[in-house]
Amino acid sequence: MANLNELSQQDFDALAQDVRQRYEDLKAKNLNLDLTRGKPSSEQLDFSNDLLALPGKDNYRTKSGVDVRNYGGLDGIADIREIWAEVLGVPVENLIAGDSSSLNIMFDLISFAFAFGTNDSPRPWREEETVKWLCPVPGYDRHFAITEQFGFEMITVPMTEDGPDVAAVEKLVQDPQVKGMWCVPLFGNPTGVVYSRETIERLAGLEAAAPDFRIIWDNAYAVHTLTDVFPDNPNVIDIAAAQGNPNRFWYMSSTSKITHAGSGVSFFASSVENLDWYRSIANIRGIGPNKENQLAHAMLLGDAEGVRALMRKHAGSLAPKFAAVIGILRERLGGYGVAEWTEPQGGYFISLNVVPGTATRVWELAKDAGINLTKAGSAFPHGVDPENTNIRLAPSLPPLDEVSEAMDGVATCVLLAAVEKRELQ
Amino acid sequence: MANLNELSQQDFDALAQDVRQRYEDLKAKNLNLDLTRGKPSSEQLDFSNDLLALPGKDNYRTKSGVDVRNYGGLDGIADIREIWAEVLGVPVENLIAGDSSSLNIMFDLISFAFAFGTNDSPRPWREEETVKWLCPVPGYDRHFAITEQFGFEMITVPMTEDGPDVAAVEKLVQDPQVKGMWCVPLFGNPTGVVYSRETIERLAGLEAAAPDFRIIWDNAYAVHTLTDVFPDNPNVIDIAAAQGNPNRFWYMSSTSKITHAGSGVSFFASSVENLDWYRSIANIRGIGPNKENQLAHAMLLGDAEGVRALMRKHAGSLAPKFAAVIGILRERLGGYGVAEWTEPQGGYFISLNVVPGTATRVWELAKDAGINLTKAGSAFPHGVDPENTNIRLAPSLPPLDEVSEAMDGVATCVLLAAVEKRELQ
């Protein structure tokens, strides 16, 4: 195959005819396939079905004797905190366990800072003329939705193979209105990029003009490998403290894509000072998280090795789907010069860049053929991809044969949109 | 027994000597008793131990087939919403089910209104010069802590036997800075008062100057009778709509003191317009509540009659404790004119008023004798009871014999503080 734009008119016309025929055939199948969200599949959820009957009748005490059925315990129970401290490699006193959603905690952190200011803020963020927030792109739509909700000005930072363009970040944080940054450091959503050690060190050491500059370190894929290799999880709390920025990181994690997506346990790790600030408001917001669910998780997982054993099962289920997506992209699109994609070693997503200007059209063609893709642009603030090139692929939810069928269809749509674009030129 | 202040000096001296001896005897027992919080007892928590193994392995679908293990479903599952709609007598479309804590939702409602404004607000509450909030007293300390956190000016309203002094409320809401009011309409914390139908109608019909005036209707004790009789739960959403104020009530409920206190299901009922506003922000905050816990609750409770059957067990456990407290207060203090107390038909608390000016001293005497009471003043905004007279008694947690022992001690402390006060006069 040669680059589509370099084909002779005759070859191009033949290709165009073939692609149109394929698209008609695709539509005739009346598919109903969904690659929109990073949801675990039924098969993956089954791995943790023991949870549905845990902690088990008459099991309601933690190792230290706390009755998990009653009120109390804002930090969560030691049993699950100790396991997760081991998973992340942070001291247990730097980590608290919450309800099911770390996204809830991220929203609350920003909401508390907005209403009341952080422990390092000269004033509540709502009293700032403008709050600016750094958004590596492509990134996670639900992150951007939070900073949009609070009216922050979102400044995009390009992703590289080593993480966000840290030189750009170093310049941007000289503006005291820049109060924070979204980061997914491991197997990031949607690129799958793993931040390099150098990037992490430089983010920890950033000389930010705002004394209350915070990095939301959403380590959502801390153990979510697609191979036999588990990635390092650098202790950014220590790394930042060593560089004189002990309160820099709000470090998030959860079991959502480890046990059951909607009923997991979330974690928030940070400096003791940051945790004390969070507690001072969270303690007004309520009494504490669901400790029965935490005990159930501690019993299911056992220890960090138990977590890794479970993650190997997930890898066994997910890796063939990722391999299928990448195989089809290579086979159908390789050489035409109409697409580039990431080939991640972990996480939940593949980031696909199609011919600039055609992502929305690809999404539309796929939709008309019964294949739902995440909306084009969704990995950018306000849902606007300035190049209209990026599509996030989420292959986890459907069974393998549907992933393959959907991706073959997506490849056809990518080609057809590229053909249409050349025809208009 | 005669009124303490009317005793002859000789009789008073004899009483004083007797009370001091009793207090020394009390201290010599080295008690360690706790009447501080409205926590259910172990016996009560045992009633719902089936929850610990529910929904049960392989039970993960709702009646309509939703897989509760995965992400999604901001409103909670229909199975539990339908049961609770029946319990409260509201249409299911007016009610959503959340995570364990309704207090969390109350905080969020105020936080969202503060940051963004409600659906009826001309501007976010943070942009108001002052936000004022009506606080019937004595009331719930955690309510007042929320409005204190946001810097609202809390205006106290006296409680009557029919609920808050509604004539006072009618005047206060003519001030457009008054944006809301805390209410616990049934078996209120700590008085046990049940609002009369007239009070409810007048609150629903209040002509408030603020277009976004809200009543947080914390129906925490909706089915928490201490007798055979279950109270009415008027549908305040309808009542308010009929009076032209469809968005007046933010109606809260939860299973916290029905199943397991720390791992229940919370509920938020309101007009569809109010719910839509809440959803528009809650949907940014996260993806949805723990649906496995909701399914477990639906299976445990079955229907509204299942809830009532469970509450009869609670009444069987709690009523003897309340009877013991009231019996001891009558026996030890009746006639001395040193105390008044409520004798509630439901809920978790007894409100005890001691000789004005001595509540803090009673608390301190009890503490020194190993009996922990909720801090004097805690039922008032900022923890300050202007009369220094009110003490909240929470008899649910300790076993019956400890409740009796603690209350006998408390009675001694109340008398001793009264004796000390007369001696100083």
Side-chain angles (χ1 to χ4, degrees):
Chain A
M1 289 182 278
N3 188 301
L4 183 129
N5 284 319
E6 293 164 7
L7 290 177
S8 68
Q9 189 61 42
Q10 191 177 1
D11 289 350
F12 175 77
D13 290 343
L15 175 70
Q17 192 175 359
D18 176 61
V19 169
R20 286 209 160 84
Q21 185 57 52
R22 276 179 184 258
Y23 185 69
E24 289 312 310
D25 295 347
L26 179 66
K27 283 216 290 190
K29 287 186 186 171
N30 287 313
L31 299 178
N32 183 11
L33 302 172
D34 192 330
L35 296 179
T36 56
R37 302 299 316 180
K39 286 185 174 182
S41 66
S42 256
E43 179 190 35
Q44 291 176 271
L45 295 168
D46 284 347
F47 300 151
S48 299
N49 274 358
D50 285 347
L51 261 190
L52 295 162
L54 287 174
K57 206 169 165 186
D58 304 323
N59 288 330
Y60 51 79
R61 292 207 183 269
T62 65
K63 283 187 298 185
S64 65
V66 172
D67 186 336
V68 294
R69 302 170 303 174
N70 222 325
Y71 289 117
L74 188 65
D75 285 352
I77 64 171
D79 308 53
I80 193 70
R81 293 170 63 208
E82 284 166 5
I83 295 171
W84 223 256
E86 192 191 347
V87 167
L88 298 184
V90 301
V92 71
E93 62 266 26
N94 289 112
L95 178 136
I96 63 187
D99 276 327
S100 302
S101 164
S102 61
L103 198 68
N104 286 171
I105 302 180
M106 294 184 241
F107 181 99
D108 286 352
L109 287 165
I110 288 180
S111 177
F112 296 173
F114 184 77
F116 313 117
T118 75
N119 40 312
D120 290 318
S121 299
R123 66 195 76 87
W125 288 359
R126 66 188 156 93
E127 291 178 11
E128 301 289 342
E129 200 183 307
T130 308
V131 172
K132 297 176 185 165
W133 203 269
L134 305 186
C135 299
V137 288
Y140 179 31
D141 54 351
R142 284 189 170 272
H143 283 166
F144 302 153
I146 292 175
T147 32
E148 179 175 355
Q149 177 70 34
F150 284 91
F152 297 173
E153 186 184 314
M154 292 184 275
I155 301 172
T156 57
V157 176
M159 283 296 287
T160 75
E161 285 183 10
D162 292 323
D165 178 345
V166 76
V169 172
E170 282 164 346
K171 278 189 198 125
L172 287 163
V173 298
Q174 291 168 23
D175 176 353
Q177 294 187 322
V178 172
K179 291 292 194 183
M181 177 175 182
W182 291 115
C183 288
V184 184
L186 270 174
F187 306 136
N189 175 349
T191 57
V193 163
V194 176
Y195 289 18
S196 70
R197 180 75 189 201
E198 190 205 331
T199 299
I200 294 173
E201 297 271 356
R202 285 172 71 182
L203 291 171
L206 283 175
E207 292 181 22
D212 50 355
F213 176 77
R214 291 289 184 270
I215 293 175
I216 300 192
W217 196 251
D218 185 4
N219 200 1
Y221 309 102
V223 288
H224 300 59
T225 183
L226 291 168
T227 72
D228 296 335
V229 182
F230 284 92
D232 273 346
N233 281 292
N235 177 347
V236 288
I237 304 168
D238 265 11
I239 296 171
Q243 299 204 52
N245 299 312
N247 299 337
R248 169 139 303 170
F249 288 95
W250 286 336
Y251 186 164
M252 318 306 303
S253 180
S254 92
T255 70
S256 288
K257 289 185 182 99
I258 297 172
T259 60
H260 288 170
S263 336
V265 178
S266 61
F267 301 93
F268 171 36
S270 204
S271 66
V272 169
E273 197 182 308
N274 280 355
L275 292 183
D276 281 346
W277 167 77
Y278 171 73
R279 287 182 184 113
S280 72
I281 305 164
N283 186 45
I284 304 294
R285 186 173 176 270
I287 297 170
N290 183 330
K291 298 185 295 299
E292 287 186 14
N293 192 39
Q294 295 186 352
L295 182 59
H297 273 77
M299 292 172 72
L300 180 84
L301 299 169
D303 56 20
E305 181 46 36
V307 175
R308 284 188 289 268
L310 178 51
M311 294 316 295
R312 286 187 195 99
K313 293 191 201 174
H314 285 291
S317 173
L318 286 172
K321 295 180 182 178
F322 277 74
V325 171
I326 289 163
I328 291 165
L329 290 170
R330 285 183 188 161
E331 183 194 320
R332 295 281 319 277
L333 303 181
Y336 282 125
V338 295
E340 294 176 337
W341 54 88
T342 57
E343 302 195 351
Q345 303 298 298
Y348 264 64
F349 302 100
I350 289 163
S351 181
L352 173 67
N353 283 340
V354 298
V355 173
T358 71
T360 305
R361 179 63 180 153
V362 171
W363 176 84
E364 193 177 77
L365 286 166
K367 186 159 187 278
D368 289 344
I371 303 167
N372 281 305
L373 299 176
T374 311
K375 204 145 190 184
S378 71
F380 291 76
H382 307 289
V384 178
D385 170 6
E387 306 276 327
N388 191 18
T389 188
N390 185 253
I391 289 173
R392 182 182 85 166
L393 299 172
S396 57
L397 185 64
L400 179 57
D401 57 337
E402 288 187 16
V403 170
S404 297
E405 185 155 36
M407 278 312 301
D408 192 64
V410 170
T412 299
C413 297
V414 171
L415 268 175
L416 179 50
V419 162
E420 289 176 349
K421 191 175 179 200
R422 173 167 158 176
E423 287 173 344
L424 285 172
Q425 278 165 347
Chain B
M1 290 183 276
N3 189 300
L4 183 131
N5 284 320
E6 293 164 7
L7 291 177
S8 68
Q9 189 62 41
Q10 191 178 0
D11 288 350
F12 175 76
D13 289 344
L15 176 69
Q17 192 177 359
D18 175 62
V19 169
R20 286 208 160 85
Q21 185 57 51
R22 276 179 184 259
Y23 185 67
E24 289 312 310
D25 295 347
L26 179 66
K27 283 216 290 190
K29 287 185 186 173
N30 287 313
L31 298 177
N32 183 12
L33 302 173
D34 193 330
L35 296 180
T36 56
R37 301 299 317 179
K39 285 184 176 184
S41 66
S42 253
E43 180 190 33
Q44 292 176 270
L45 295 167
D46 284 348
F47 299 150
S48 299
N49 274 359
D50 285 347
L51 261 190
L52 295 161
L54 285 173
K57 208 169 163 184
D58 304 323
N59 288 329
Y60 52 78
R61 292 210 182 268
T62 65
K63 282 188 297 186
S64 66
V66 172
D67 185 336
V68 295
R69 303 170 302 173
N70 222 325
Y71 290 116
L74 189 65
D75 286 352
I77 64 171
D79 308 52
I80 192 72
R81 291 170 64 208
E82 285 166 6
I83 295 171
W84 223 255
E86 191 191 346
V87 167
L88 298 184
V90 301
V92 70
E93 62 267 25
N94 289 113
L95 178 135
I96 62 186
D99 276 327
S100 302
S101 165
S102 61
L103 197 68
N104 287 170
I105 302 179
M106 295 184 240
F107 181 98
D108 287 352
L109 288 166
I110 289 181
S111 178
F112 295 173
F114 183 77
F116 314 117
T118 75
N119 39 312
D120 290 318
S121 299
R123 64 195 78 85
W125 289 359
R126 67 188 156 92
E127 290 177 12
E128 301 289 342
E129 199 183 309
T130 309
V131 173
K132 297 176 185 166
W133 203 268
L134 306 187
C135 300
V137 289
Y140 179 32
D141 53 353
R142 284 188 169 274
H143 283 167
F144 303 153
I146 291 174
T147 32
E148 179 175 357
Q149 177 71 32
F150 284 91
F152 297 173
E153 186 184 315
M154 291 184 277
I155 301 172
T156 58
V157 176
M159 283 297 287
T160 75
E161 285 182 10
D162 292 323
D165 177 346
V166 77
V169 172
E170 282 165 345
K171 280 190 197 125
L172 287 163
V173 297
Q174 291 168 22
D175 176 353
Q177 294 186 322
V178 171
K179 291 291 194 183
M181 177 176 183
W182 292 114
C183 288
V184 184
L186 271 175
F187 307 136
N189 175 351
T191 57
V193 163
V194 177
Y195 289 19
S196 70
R197 180 74 188 202
E198 190 204 331
T199 299
I200 293 172
E201 296 271 358
R202 286 171 70 181
L203 290 172
L206 284 176
E207 292 183 23
D212 50 355
F213 175 78
R214 291 289 183 270
I215 294 176
I216 299 192
W217 195 251
D218 184 4
N219 200 1
Y221 308 102
V223 288
H224 300 58
T225 183
L226 291 167
T227 72
D228 296 335
V229 182
F230 284 92
D232 273 345
N233 281 291
N235 178 347
V236 289
I237 303 168
D238 265 9
I239 295 171
Q243 300 204 50
N245 299 312
N247 299 338
R248 169 139 304 168
F249 288 95
W250 286 336
Y251 186 166
M252 318 306 303
S253 179
S254 92
T255 69
S256 288
K257 290 184 180 99
I258 296 172
T259 60
H260 288 169
S263 336
V265 177
S266 61
F267 301 94
F268 171 36
S270 204
S271 66
V272 168
E273 196 182 308
N274 281 354
L275 292 183
D276 281 345
W277 167 77
Y278 171 74
R279 286 180 183 114
S280 72
I281 305 165
N283 186 44
I284 304 294
R285 187 174 176 269
I287 297 169
N290 183 330
K291 298 185 296 298
E292 287 186 14
N293 191 40
Q294 295 186 352
L295 182 59
H297 274 77
M299 292 172 73
L300 180 84
L301 298 170
D303 56 20
E305 181 46 37
V307 175
R308 285 188 287 267
L310 178 51
M311 295 316 294
R312 287 188 194 100
K313 294 189 199 175
H314 285 291
S317 174
L318 286 172
K321 295 180 182 178
F322 278 74
V325 170
I326 289 163
I328 291 164
L329 289 170
R330 284 184 189 163
E331 182 193 320
R332 294 283 319 279
L333 303 181
Y336 282 126
V338 295
E340 293 176 335
W341 54 87
T342 57
E343 302 195 351
Q345 304 298 298
Y348 264 65
F349 302 101
I350 289 163
S351 182
L352 173 67
N353 282 342
V354 297
V355 174
T358 70
T360 304
R361 179 61 180 154
V362 170
W363 177 83
E364 191 177 78
L365 286 166
K367 187 160 188 276
D368 289 346
I371 303 167
N372 282 304
L373 299 176
T374 310
K375 205 146 188 182
S378 72
F380 291 76
H382 306 292
V384 179
D385 171 6
E387 306 276 327
N388 191 18
T389 189
N390 184 254
I391 289 173
R392 183 182 83 167
L393 299 173
S396 57
L397 185 63
L400 180 58
D401 59 336
E402 288 187 17
V403 170
S404 298
E405 185 155 35
M407 278 313 301
D408 192 65
V410 170
T412 299
C413 297
V414 171
L415 267 175
L416 179 51
V419 162
E420 289 176 349
K421 190 175 179 199
R422 171 165 161 177
E423 286 172 345
L424 286 171
Q425 278 165 348

